[in-house]
Amino acid sequence: MTGCDAVKLVYQNEFGCAHMMKNGQAYAVLEKEYNDADADIRARCIPIGNRRVRLPIALAKGLDVGCDMLFEMCAYSARRDGTAESYFEKIAEVIEACRDGQLPFSCDEIYELSKDCVPIGHSDAFRREYHPSYRVVDTAVQVILPIISKTQERMRQGKRTVIAIDGCAAAGKSTAAQALGALFRCSVVHADDFFLPKDMKTPERLAQAGGNIHYERLKYEVIDHLGKPFEYNVYDCSSGGFSGKREIAQSDVTVVEGSYCLHPHFGSYADIKVYLDIDEKTQKERILARSGETMLARFVNEWIPMERRYDEFYKIKENCDITVDIQ
């Protein structure tokens, strides 16, 4: 790595692949790289911070993710762009680290390469050593890569597919489902729309493994209708009533996401069963960041133990087709 590669890394961290997708030849360039790449399922994504990774084209090809889908993954990731202000703040940190001797680059070189806030290429030395061939995508896309691979395999066989994403609180189930919905242009069902109404929260019900969801309504309003267009009622736990309806269109792919969505009450409705796991420290940090200390206490003392009991009692994780450990 040279100073040039360091500046490129900072640029990618802040802006992702947005600049590439603005190029009218973006697909043609990707297609050539894709065709030239050797498929390699051993290739690994490189985290670059700011919820972005460098995804090797060889890995996507090895997982049988088509060039068209890879392009869609780039376009989806490019919707989250950065700012010049944040970019220059990060460059200032790099220059400071160079000045302190923490990085072996010239401060003047870093400044000159970054001052115009434009994308630059890798150095010749970096290219000779690493032969880079990748695209920068969101970590949410990296998480669902095996799901995309398995779904595309089924689609090539002409099979309709229901994907169910269960797992730990704050592991990113909704984020993964949102990305899948955008990439496959399909509908998403949220298990959170089926919170248990207050009048059903009896000690007997909450003592059940997985009893903290209105699974009866989820079955007769959603599961029994998958494969055709339908609508279901959305329960709002803050108001204690229904807030409207959600329409689900008929499509080749449907995603059902949320805790308890693989409850055995539903039978074997899912073609691809996914479990998102997360370590306790990261889980707490995410919940605290998004919901605050009061809600974190409720998660830790109430909801997380319920989810663990459900998972252990029904062996949800063990029976899933795909398990992703969120770091």
Side-chain angles (χ1 to χ4, degrees):
M1 176 180 268
T2 68
C4 173
D5 304 296
V7 171
K8 183 176 182 67
L9 178 61
V10 175
Y11 191 92
Q12 290 177 335
N13 167 281
E14 181 60 28
F15 297 103
C17 64
H19 69 283
M20 293 195 71
M21 301 308 293
K22 294 172 183 176
N23 183 341
Q25 298 298 310
Y27 183 84
V29 173
L30 175 62
E31 185 178 37
K32 183 180 186 310
E33 279 192 68
Y34 186 93
N35 291 336
D36 291 344
D38 293 325
D40 186 1
I41 60 172
R42 298 169 301 173
R44 292 292 176 262
C45 293
I46 307 296
I48 62 171
N50 197 19
R51 295 179 288 127
R52 304 188 200 274
V53 299
R54 288 173 173 172
L55 168 64
I57 292 175
L59 175 60
K61 194 169 182 177
L63 291 172
D64 230 3
V65 172
C67 185
D68 288 352
M69 175 55 71
L70 181 56
F71 186 77
E72 290 291 334
M73 291 158 62
C74 293
Y76 179 78
S77 300
R79 294 189 298 182
R80 183 169 68 91
D81 206 348
T83 66
E85 179 182 9
S86 179
Y87 169 74
F88 285 123
E89 287 175 358
K90 293 171 182 177
I91 288 294
E93 291 184 30
V94 173
I95 292 175
E96 186 65 25
C98 294
R99 185 175 292 117
D100 292 344
Q102 298 176 57
L103 291 174
F105 311 127
S106 159
C107 296
D108 291 341
E109 179 190 20
I110 297 296
Y111 172 76
E112 287 297 325
L113 288 168
S114 64
K115 66 180 182 180
D116 295 324
C117 190
V118 295
I120 60 176
H122 278 298
S123 66
D124 291 340
F126 191 96
R127 291 185 184 279
R128 284 195 302 270
E129 183 68 22
Y130 299 110
H131 309 288
S133 179
Y134 62 81
R135 287 296 181 273
V136 175
V137 299
D138 282 358
T139 52
V141 171
Q142 176 199 7
V143 165
I144 63 174
L145 198 56
I147 310 173
I148 293 173
S149 174
K150 200 168 185 66
T151 302
Q152 286 205 299
E153 178 185 356
R154 290 181 56 86
M155 292 179 71
R156 292 186 191 104
Q157 298 169 0
K159 297 178 180 178
R160 285 182 177 171
T161 302
V162 176
I163 305 166
I165 307 176
D166 208 324
C168 302
K173 299 182 292 295
S174 297
T175 302
Q178 180 184 32
L180 287 167
L183 294 173
F184 287 104
R185 294 172 175 79
C186 66
S187 296
V188 177
V189 174
H190 303 282
D192 282 357
D193 293 338
F194 295 84
F195 275 119
L196 199 64
K198 294 178 182 179
D199 60 357
M200 293 184 69
K201 290 186 177 181
T202 63
E204 295 77 15
R205 177 60 178 240
L206 296 180
Q208 297 179 22
N212 194 35
I213 188 175
H214 198 169
Y215 54 75
E216 298 91 343
R217 186 170 72 84
L218 179 51
K219 186 175 189 307
Y220 67 71
E221 286 195 10
V222 174
I223 306 302
D224 291 346
H225 302 283
L226 291 172
K228 53 190 175 184
F230 64 93
E231 62 181 22
Y232 69 83
N233 296 296
V234 176
Y235 184 77
D236 181 359
C237 59
S238 60
S239 66
F242 294 113
S243 60
K245 294 180 180 293
R246 195 183 302 277
E247 294 186 1
I248 304 298
Q250 182 175 343
S251 63
D252 293 334
V253 179
T254 305
V255 181
V256 181
E257 69 84 18
S259 299
Y260 311 112
C261 74
L262 285 172
H263 196 294
H265 181 77
F266 308 136
S268 301
Y269 75 93
D271 302 297
I272 302 175
K273 300 185 291 295
V274 182
Y275 191 94
L276 299 190
D277 206 352
I278 189 171
D279 67 273
E280 185 177 343
K281 180 176 179 293
T282 306
Q283 182 184 48
K284 288 181 178 179
E285 289 173 349
R286 285 189 175 188
I287 295 171
L288 179 62
R290 78 183 188 188
S291 303
E293 292 185 3
T294 301
M295 291 301 289
L296 173 60
R298 288 204 68 182
F299 270 96
V300 171
N301 298 320
E302 184 178 350
W303 295 320
I304 292 176
M306 286 182 172
E307 291 177 0
R308 286 177 181 160
R309 183 155 55 93
Y310 153 78
D311 176 37
E312 293 169 1
F313 187 83
Y314 292 119
K315 295 180 170 50
I316 301 300
K317 181 178 178 180
E318 294 177 30
N319 291 316
C320 279
D321 307 299
I322 297 171
T323 298
V324 182
D325 293 312
I326 307 299
Q327 305 296 323

